Each structure stands twice: as structure tokens, then as C-alpha cells.
Amino acid sequence: MLTRIDHIGIACFDLDRTVEFYRATYGFEVFHSEVNEEQGVREAMLKINETSDGGASYLQLLEPTREDSAVGKWLAKNGEGVHHIAFGTADVDGDAADIRDKGVRVLYDQPRIGSMGSRITFLHPKDCHGVLTELVTSAPVESPEH
Ligand code: V0V
Ligand code: CO
């Protein structure tokens, strides 16, 4: 079951300048940043709010690490802007299978690694009324070491 908006993915040319815009304009701070080589992105997660399912909602600012990546190609065609929306679920495998059974193209056979150790997959935008849609299961919260 999809229980939150996990994040909105925003493509940008210059991550540092875009992070600074969100900080200076709205006061949002970077919660986490990383490079995901498989996806070809350098990204910053800005936490907006926590959610009743124990998760949170973020803005995900994305700068391509190479021109032929999904975000690189999209930026060259469209310029900066909203790139995808991501729904959070406790069961990305089960929800992706259910959605595939409804005839929507799920882009990966198995979920891949996303931000902060999450497991992610994508639905084809042409099957979702023009919206690239991601499904996310967050990594389990690690218990503190003794
Ligand atoms: C492409 N299209 C889009 C779109 N990207 N429509 C809406 N939103 C987007 N973001 C449209 C495009 O305009 C074309 O329509 C058509 O789909 C085919 O696009 P294309 O430019 O020929 O590109 P493709 O087919 O090579 O790739 C499109 C897909 C690709 C969606 C298959 O971008 C993909 O695999 N995306 C999933 C991975 C991803 O986006 N990773 C970056 C975020 P017309 O012109 O033919 O009508 S990584 C992330 O979110 C992480 C790590 C995380 O959350 O943790
Ligand atoms: Co994303």
C-alpha cells in the first residue's frame, strides 16, 4: 500500500546553487546527500515533514553526473523542473507486482538501490499520464550500537 509522498524529484543543472536557493528562500536544509552512480545522479534530500506511516516526505534535488543518464537527457530536453514523484510503501516488491498486473510498465524486474539505502523502482511515464512515478521502500532504521 502506498502511504505517503516520499519525495518529489527536481532536476537541476547545479546542485549546490539549487540547494542554496531552497535554503535561502524557504529555510530547508540538506538532510542527506550522496552520489548514485547507477542512476547517474548527485542528489540532496531536503526533509519537509514526517508522515504518519513512520516515514517522511522530502524534496530530492538531482544533478546529473553524466549527459546520457535519465536526468541528463531529461534536462537537455526540458530544462530544470519537476522530474518525478515518488510514493512510499513498506512493500515495494508487492506493490510493483500489483501495479504491473494492472498493465503499467514497471521499469525494473527487481528494485534497485535508491537514496539512503532505500529500494526503488519506476513506472513508465507514458503509462502514468505523463508522470514518471517511483515507488520507494526506505531502509530499516538501524538500532544504535551498544
Ligand atoms: C522521459 N519522459 C518523461 C520523463 N522522462 N515524461 C515525464 N517525466 C519524465 N521524467 C518521456 C519523454 O518526453 C518521451 O516522450 C518518452 O518519455 C521517452 O523518453 P526519452 O527521452 O526517449 O528517454 P528514455 O525512453 O530513454 O527514458 C525515459 C525513462 C528513463 C523514463 C525510461 O528516464 C528512466 O529509466 N527513468 C527511471 C530512472 C530515473 O529517472 N533515474 C533518475 C532519478 P515523447 O517525447 O516520446 O512524447 S534517481 C532517483 O530518483 C533516486 C536515486 C532515488 O529516488 O533514490
Ligand atoms: Co527519486
Side-chain angles (χ1 to χ4, degrees), residues 34-43 65-66 113-115 120:
E34 68 181 270
V35 172
N36 186 322
E37 287 295 356
E38 182 180 34
Q39 294 291 340
V41 294
R42 191 162 82 91
E43 53 144 277
T65 58
R66 41 178 202 272
I113 299 301
S115 189
I120 64 172

Side-chain angles (χ1 to χ4, degrees), residues 7 60 84 86 122 134:
H7 63 268
Q60 181 177 59
H84 65 271
F122 289 89
E134 179 183 340

